[in-house]
Amino acid sequence: MAVFPLPQLEDNVVLLPSSQTNSTQPQLCDVWRDIQGAHNWNGLLDPMVPNLKAEALRYGNLAQLCYDAFDGKSYSKNYGTCYHSKRDLFNKMGMSESGYQVSKYVYANTNLLNQVFGEKPKDQGVWLGFIAVCKDPNEIRRLGRRDIVIAWRGTQTAEEWIEDLRDILVPTRLSYRCKRTGKNQEHHFADGVLIERGFLSCYTSTVRHRQGAAGATVNISTRDLVVSEIERLIQVYEKEMDNLSITFTGHSLGAALATLSAYDIKQMLCTKHNFHQIPVTVFAFASPRVGNLAFAKRVEEIGVKVLRFVNKRDLVPKVPGVCMNENVGCLSKLLHWLPWTYFHVGVELPLHNNSPFIQHTHNLAYFHNLELYLHLLDGYVGSKQPFSWSGRDHALVNKSCDLLREKYDIPPKWWQEQNKGLVKGPDGKWTQPSEEE
């Protein structure tokens, strides 16, 4: 691993000393409900409190992990999978001290993803993320609760979004088995909730899923896989319900799926006795609009807390609904029933491209890059404050783009797989390794 030089700070860059960022703030374990959005982050965003920034960056890193661990090489025989097994994911990706353990991988299979990642057999899906549980006692103590996290991967570039965001709003029928009656309760679209068709198709797509050590496979939807695993986990940790949280995170398409699945999970929790009190939070990066006005209202009514981070120069958060959205005012509310009238959900935190590390560029796709989002968040203090570098490695910005100024000597797009994944065997021959179990 190359060691990149510490940058020379500009005059308008503030370096926050560790004593200032850590000693004056309350312990996370004492304020975790506020950090998770219990009061819609009132008074925590401008200026941003260090605890919230640290937690948002932590969840953003989990979303970035979904990109870094994804085998998206069309020539790979493991194309569309995760490089590593559930057991080794965090260790292999340099996050062994996260305190989390992966309990389930999430796959999806829809026309949307086939067009982005190439044609695949109908019964297979591509790896979209994971469900993990905090199990380390020290991390649980630091967080103040046990956390279940669901991280979703997004598409790779903004150009893919421009190509694929072409669908309209459609009604959704999602059923949940009520613990009290034992019957399925189907939530109809009578309340007017509409979801973008591509996101819903992805979330409800059917894949072949292997269950148990015997390797038996069954047909299961992405949605059923997620819901059933969350149901299982809350049953396992039912006695910790007062100190249990469910957190979703994702970038781009992943942020949309994080919002949709958080809505779905919270609806499910509301059908189960006493489970409705479990806080459900979304840390969404570069999220497009997901649904209509009724969806946005329902998300708020059931208590899903969504914090959206938006780069002001990123085009993706402006779609779909370019012409008819929450910014149009009364007209959009009057025409909310149209299948192309979209509304953002939750609380938005705008990120300004005021980092002196970043050079000027006309490549709009770079403004959608998740590592740039995390860099800007790392330096964010308040809406009218200068960039304040908190120490996050600036080299990460150039992992998959060319945004850093030349004087920092960080090569563009430096994140590359060694030998394109080939390994040399005992016989001296180079081959592609089999998929890890």
Side-chain angles (χ1 to χ4, degrees):
M1 178 67 69
V3 178
F4 295 112
L6 186 69
Q8 296 295 318
L9 297 180
E10 304 283 349
D11 292 338
N12 59 339
V13 180
V14 179
L15 178 59
L16 297 180
S18 58
S19 59
Q20 178 180 338
T21 57
N22 297 322
S23 63
T24 60
Q25 65 173 320
Q27 295 295 316
L28 176 60
C29 59
D30 297 326
V31 296
W32 71 266
R33 291 186 182 274
D34 290 331
I35 299 302
Q36 293 292 109
H39 300 98
N40 296 314
W41 297 283
N42 289 331
L44 303 180
L45 298 176
D46 195 5
M48 174 173 273
V49 299
N51 271 326
L52 177 55
K53 178 192 289 189
E55 284 297 279
L57 286 171
R58 187 170 68 88
Y59 287 114
N61 286 332
L62 293 177
Q64 180 63 46
L65 181 150
C66 293
Y67 283 114
D68 296 341
F70 175 65
D71 188 347
K73 306 183 301 297
S74 58
Y75 55 80
S76 172
K77 67 180 181 180
N78 299 320
Y79 173 77
T81 66
C82 178
Y83 284 123
H84 310 295
S85 67
K86 296 191 296 289
R87 180 184 62 256
D88 295 332
L89 178 63
F90 289 121
N91 289 334
K92 292 291 183 67
M93 298 306 297
M95 300 181 69
S96 58
E97 297 181 359
S98 68
Y100 288 78
Q101 292 183 19
V102 176
S103 68
K104 184 74 68 175
Y105 274 169
V106 180
Y107 297 85
N109 181 19
T110 68
N111 290 331
L112 170 68
L113 291 180
N114 285 341
Q115 290 180 10
V116 174
F117 299 115
E119 294 297 329
K120 295 180 69 65
K122 182 177 294 184
D123 64 346
Q124 294 183 9
V126 293
W127 184 74
L128 267 187
F130 59 87
I131 302 173
V133 184
C134 184
K135 292 189 175 183
D136 180 74
N138 292 329
E139 183 66 4
I140 292 174
R141 192 176 302 110
R142 187 187 73 86
L143 295 176
R145 86 280 185 190
R146 186 184 299 276
D147 185 45
I148 300 171
V149 65
I150 301 90
W152 294 89
R153 180 182 55 78
T155 49
Q156 302 292 348
T157 67
E159 288 87 351
E160 292 170 343
W161 265 115
I162 294 172
E163 176 183 355
D164 291 300
L165 286 171
R166 74 240 187 280
D167 288 327
I168 62 175
L169 291 160
V170 295
T172 176
R173 296 173 183 264
L174 300 174
S175 62
Y176 316 87
R177 180 166 294 276
C178 180
K179 186 176 181 180
R180 295 187 297 274
T181 65
K183 299 180 179 179
N184 284 341
Q185 295 183 351
E186 188 172 273
H187 290 253
H188 296 276
F189 57 89
D191 56 1
V193 171
L194 302 176
I195 304 295
E196 199 271 349
R197 182 168 59 185
F199 303 151
L200 184 63
S201 174
C202 179
Y203 185 56
T204 57
S205 64
T206 300
V207 296
R208 294 286 291 174
H209 179 65
R210 185 168 56 189
Q211 291 185 328
T217 58
V218 296
N219 288 323
I220 185 171
S221 73
T222 302
R223 184 251 175 174
D224 288 340
L225 188 153
V226 172
V227 172
S228 62
E229 180 64 9
I230 296 301
E231 285 184 313
R232 184 188 72 83
L233 290 173
I234 61 176
Q235 291 290 343
V236 170
Y237 301 111
E238 185 173 4
K239 293 182 180 179
E240 303 177 32
M241 194 170 9
D242 291 338
N243 292 289
L244 182 67
S245 65
I246 303 177
T247 310
F248 295 78
T249 188
H251 170 258
S252 193
L253 168 66
L257 293 174
T259 302
L260 175 55
S261 55
Y263 161 79
D264 189 21
I265 292 299
K266 190 65 174 182
Q267 292 269 49
M268 178 269 290
L269 294 176
C270 289
T271 68
K272 299 183 180 297
H273 183 61
N274 289 335
F275 287 179
H276 66 278
Q277 69 188 44
I278 299 175
V280 175
T281 305
V282 182
F283 289 94
F285 298 85
S287 177
R289 297 183 180 93
V290 179
N292 65 347
L293 176 61
F295 173 71
K297 287 183 176 180
R298 184 58 182 163
V299 167
E300 183 177 358
E301 288 172 358
I302 62 179
V304 177
K305 305 300 181 179
V306 183
L307 181 56
R308 293 182 296 105
F309 299 92
V310 176
N311 185 333
K312 298 295 288 183
R313 298 191 65 182
D314 186 2
L315 297 179
V316 171
K318 296 177 172 59
V319 296
V322 175
C323 298
M324 195 63 65
N325 55 65
E326 70 282 349
N327 297 319
V328 178
C330 295
L331 182 60
S332 62
K333 293 183 178 180
L334 289 174
L335 300 178
H336 66 88
W337 49 271
L338 292 174
W340 52 80
T341 303
Y342 288 81
F343 281 76
H344 265 308
V345 302
V347 177
E348 177 177 310
L349 179 67
L351 298 174
H352 301 279
N353 292 273
N354 59 348
S355 168
F357 295 97
I358 306 302
Q359 63 183 343
H360 295 291
T361 179
H362 297 291
N363 190 333
L364 296 180
Y366 285 167
F367 295 114
H368 186 58
N369 185 278
L370 178 54
E371 285 290 4
L372 175 61
Y373 266 78
L374 299 178
H375 173 74
L376 296 178
L377 176 58
D378 177 66
Y380 178 84
V381 177
S383 60
K384 298 181 180 180
Q385 300 296 321
F387 185 92
S388 297
W389 185 53
S390 299
R392 180 180 175 84
D393 189 355
H394 65 289
L396 296 173
V397 174
N398 267 14
K399 281 175 70 174
S400 59
C401 61
D402 184 11
L403 276 173
L404 289 176
R405 293 185 177 183
E406 292 185 3
K407 67 178 182 179
Y408 297 127
D409 297 325
I410 306 298
K413 302 179 180 180
W414 57 265
W415 181 268
Q416 300 178 24
E417 186 180 20
Q418 187 177 14
N419 301 321
K420 290 192 173 182
L422 295 181
V423 295
K424 192 174 184 179
D427 57 358
K429 296 181 179 180
W430 292 85
T431 60
Q432 289 192 35
S434 301
E435 180 181 359
E436 293 187 18
E437 300 296 332

